[in-house]
Amino acid sequence: MRLHLISDFLIAAAYFVIPIALLLFVRKRRDLPFNWMFVCFGVFILACGMTHVMEIITLWKPYYWISGIVKAITALASVPTAILLIRLIPSAINVPGPAVLRAANEALIEQTKLLNLIVTNMGDGLLVVDRDGAALLSNPALRRMLGLRENENVPQNIARDCGFYHADKVTRIAPNEAPTSRAVAGEHIDEDEIFIRHGANLEGSWARVTTRALRDEQRTIHGAVAVFHDITAHKRALEQQQNLLREREARAEAEAANRAKDRFLAVLGHELRTPLTPVLAGVELLEQKINFNGEFKGTIEIIRRNIELEARLIDDILDLTAIAKGKINLDIGTVDIHSAVQCAFDIFKTEIAHKKLRVHTNLAAAEHYARADDSRLMQVFWNVIKNAIKFTPEGGAIHIDSVNDGGKVIVRVSDNGIGIEPDLLPRIFDSFEQGVRRVQAGHGGLGLGLAISRAIIDAHHGEVEATSPGKNRGTMVTISLATIAMPFDAKEEEGKRPPSVVPSTGQAEKAQLRILLVDDHTDTVITLGALLRNLGYEVACAETVKQALQLAKESKFDLLVSDIGLPDGSGHDLMRQIRAKQAIAGIALSGFGMEDDLEKSRAVGFTEHLIKPINVDRLQSTLREIAQKQASLV
């Protein structure tokens, strides 16, 4: 009895504990596919335990009918449990075993590593957030865009805490407008461009963002995934291209403005020069026709001097413009430096006499020929001698001398005038720098002469230098140019007549010219025509191309002296049309004096291009040369 009692008690106790354990297990693992089987099995075992309890009771009290009822309940529980268990066997057999689960787990680990490698090595930034916008996953590319260090975490709420900006790079994107926030709200975003400036990324970066919501099978949104494609290099290249285009447009505008300015200066020079021509011609005519004495002669000289100064100032302004653009052109030939100095000096004989200056000339250089532009060198010597005369007081002295040194001819022009202060001396060849000195000394001018002279000498690969002991102690300007051997024809002419000798009376009579003078400025036609007739030439005048062509049709002319700008055409067109019908020489007159203006005149057959106001001496010299050529052909 004791054996039955102990055995039944232990069996009943075990049967009662087993269903409790099964119940707890089922409650913890609700995800098992057949947890209802554990419930049925627990009921069956509990019923079995009750049968053993009844076995103990029946040892003292024979309640067999109660024991039968318990066994019947156990039978009722065991039969469906057995049936269900048999039906469950196929499903249970398909449950993977430990080896299969271990292999699946290892494969999952490998797949996770691969996915990790893909995410880590992506060139694009990757971000996964939950419904609240908290970052769940990010990769190094995204952290680089955000300016974060390798071990630094992405901000918890990236939409709120990261520096996302609109395309203007100034307006910050509100948290609810951030790409991930919009995706969590169910919006699809495809390649929106945003600017990111965050953390150490001070320069900022551009990204093209694509976002999608993370949905399950029931279309419930659990978060969002965003891909940030870095387009910083593309945007910067685009910005550089736009900057380059803007620079090109600005350069084109500046060049157009420069061209307009150059054209304006050229037109201005033309308009300023044109009225001066009849005045100078009138002065020359008065001097030839009337014998002035005393103050009237001085007045005429003052008029001439100031008109020539005005013309020189206009030329200086236009020359400076050409030099500043690097467009100074040279007509290189063999030049006698001594002759150029002497010609420049001769222009100022009247002014030197008026100021009672003592001029000492010693052009002693044995080698005095150079490859140069004759007219440009004349301009340099004109400027230097003009300054010496201007800044030397009445009764002062000017020295002009030349020497050779190391294959160079050195021309020195010195005076005992107002001198140059030491602080001004280094800047004496700068544009407008002399203006202060001249104004303070009571002299006019723009201060461009020496600046232009230096540019011309530099273009000849020479040197020009100014020295002065100080204020009121005079100035010396030294010009140095490389020499060449004396030309053979110059050797033959050495010691003979000066090159500027006027032809004899017989030669002049033989070389008279019939001149067609054309200019749309009536005063120029009247005064210049009268001056040419007074010089002994036969002159016919016209003010338009049409009138000139009619005169050329009626008579034959030796020389065309024509303005370039005419009301019904140009002097170039006129020259072409007349030369098509008769041989004729030509002198162009114009207020335009740029290098390309001179080239155009030469191209159509003009022998000379004289810039208004016309220098009468230069005009007479040119007329004599043309007359001599005409006479030699007869």
Side-chain angles (χ1 to χ4, degrees), residues 453-597:
S453 296
R454 182 177 65 175
I456 293 172
I457 294 298
D458 287 346
H460 284 84
H461 306 290
E463 296 177 358
V464 59
E465 180 186 13
T467 57
S468 175
K471 187 175 180 181
N472 297 321
R473 299 180 64 184
T475 302
M476 176 185 289
V477 176
T478 304
I479 297 168
S480 175
L481 292 166
T483 60
I484 61 172
M486 181 185 299
F488 179 75
D489 55 347
K491 290 179 182 178
E492 290 184 343
E493 292 293 325
E494 195 75 17
K496 295 183 180 179
R497 66 174 178 84
S500 58
V501 169
V502 179
S504 65
T505 305
Q507 289 175 315
E509 289 175 354
K510 183 179 179 182
Q512 289 304 304
L513 298 175
R514 301 185 71 251
I515 299 173
L516 175 58
L517 175 64
V518 187
D519 199 305
D520 63 337
H521 192 249
T522 304
D523 291 343
T524 299
V525 170
I526 294 171
T527 55
L528 192 57
L531 177 62
L532 292 172
R533 291 188 189 97
N534 191 60
L535 291 172
Y537 299 105
E538 184 180 339
V539 182
C541 298
E543 295 185 15
T544 64
V545 172
K546 183 178 179 181
Q547 292 174 6
L549 290 174
Q550 183 62 36
L551 289 172
K553 184 178 180 181
E554 296 171 355
S555 305
K556 181 176 175 59
F557 294 94
D558 303 305
L559 176 66
L560 171 65
V561 179
S562 176
D563 189 12
I564 298 303
L566 297 170
D568 56 344
S570 74
H572 297 152
D573 296 332
L574 177 60
M575 186 64 174
R576 289 192 194 96
Q577 293 182 54
I578 294 178
R579 291 194 77 182
K581 297 179 180 178
Q582 59 177 281
I584 190 170
I587 298 176
L589 307 179
S590 178
F592 297 106
M594 296 295 186
E595 290 296 332
D596 56 341
D597 298 319

Side-chain angles (χ1 to χ4, degrees), residues 229-272:
H229 179 59
D230 192 342
I231 57 170
T232 305
H234 170 71
K235 293 293 281 188
R236 286 178 180 166
L238 192 60
E239 287 178 1
Q240 288 177 353
Q241 186 178 9
Q242 290 172 345
N243 290 337
L244 182 61
L245 288 174
R246 282 193 290 269
E247 287 177 6
R248 286 178 179 171
E249 290 173 359
R251 190 180 300 113
E253 290 176 3
E255 288 173 354
N258 267 336
R259 287 192 296 270
K261 179 199 70 176
D262 292 344
R263 182 60 186 167
F264 168 75
L265 287 174
V267 172
L268 178 64
H270 176 272
E271 295 302 317
L272 291 174

